[in-house]
Amino acid sequence: MTARVAQYTLDVSDLDRMARFWSAALGYLVSQGDDGNAKLYPPPGRPGPTVWLQGSGTPKRGKNRLHLDLVADEGQTAEVERLIGLGARLADVGQTGAEGFVVLVDPEDNEFCVLDGPPR
């Protein structure tokens, strides 16, 4: 018996802002009720885990212990520029520049990476 990743959950302070950012970043559809949470779904025909944005009302503290690694269809540089245009920012976590990934943070400072190709 094994497990698979079905959903990624992220605690957020500003649900609307984070739903806009992550749905645009991933190309996911948003389902948001009035309970302070939102669920993001991959578009039909595209596999992938759902993303649960859980309204926490508290700011992030410290470095993430778990983060997303994204791979772009159109190349790393273009994807990093697109994500920065959506509100991400470059982050320095001690990388040298030779790692094969770029570290970014979302609008609430959650780290994630954009890989230069499929994971090795």
Side-chain angles (χ1 to χ4, degrees), residues 3 12 32 39-40 42 49 53-54 58 60 62 67-68 72 84 102 105-106 108-109 112-113 117:
V12 300
Q32 184 173 339
K39 195 161 200 171
L40 308 180
L53 299 178
Q54 182 170 272
T58 60
K60 177 185 175 277
H67 67 267
L68 294 174
I84 288 172
V102 174
V105 294
D106 70 14
E108 290 191 1
D109 295 327
F112 65 99
C113 296

Side-chain angles (χ1 to χ4, degrees), residues 72 74-84 102 114-116:
E74 300 299 320
Q76 182 188 46
T77 301
E79 184 63 10
V80 167
E81 290 173 5
R82 185 183 78 84
L83 292 166
I84 288 172
V102 174
V114 179
L115 307 180
D116 62 3

Side-chain angles (χ1 to χ4, degrees), residues 24-43:
L26 299 173
Y28 275 29
L29 309 171
V30 179
S31 175
Q32 184 173 339
D34 58 1
D35 64 353
N37 301 297
K39 195 161 200 171
L40 308 180
Y41 296 92

Side-chain angles (χ1 to χ4, degrees), residues 2-86:
T2 61
R4 63 181 174 81
V5 176
Q7 179 168 279
Y8 184 85
T9 301
L10 183 62
D11 289 346
V12 300
S13 293
D14 185 335
L15 182 66
D16 293 332
R17 181 180 187 195
M18 295 298 279
R20 279 191 308 274
F21 175 81
W22 281 110
S23 66
L26 299 173
Y28 275 29
L29 309 171
V30 179
S31 175
Q32 184 173 339
D34 58 1
D35 64 353
N37 301 297
K39 195 161 200 171
L40 308 180
Y41 296 92
R46 192 171 116 204
T50 58
V51 178
W52 179 254
L53 299 178
Q54 182 170 272
S56 69
T58 60
K60 177 185 175 277
R61 294 186 190 114
K63 184 181 181 302
N64 293 15
R65 299 285 306 260
L66 177 69
H67 67 267
L68 294 174
D69 287 337
L70 307 180
V71 176
D73 294 332
E74 300 299 320
Q76 182 188 46
T77 301
E79 184 63 10
V80 167
E81 290 173 5
R82 185 183 78 84
L83 292 166
I84 288 172
L86 293 174

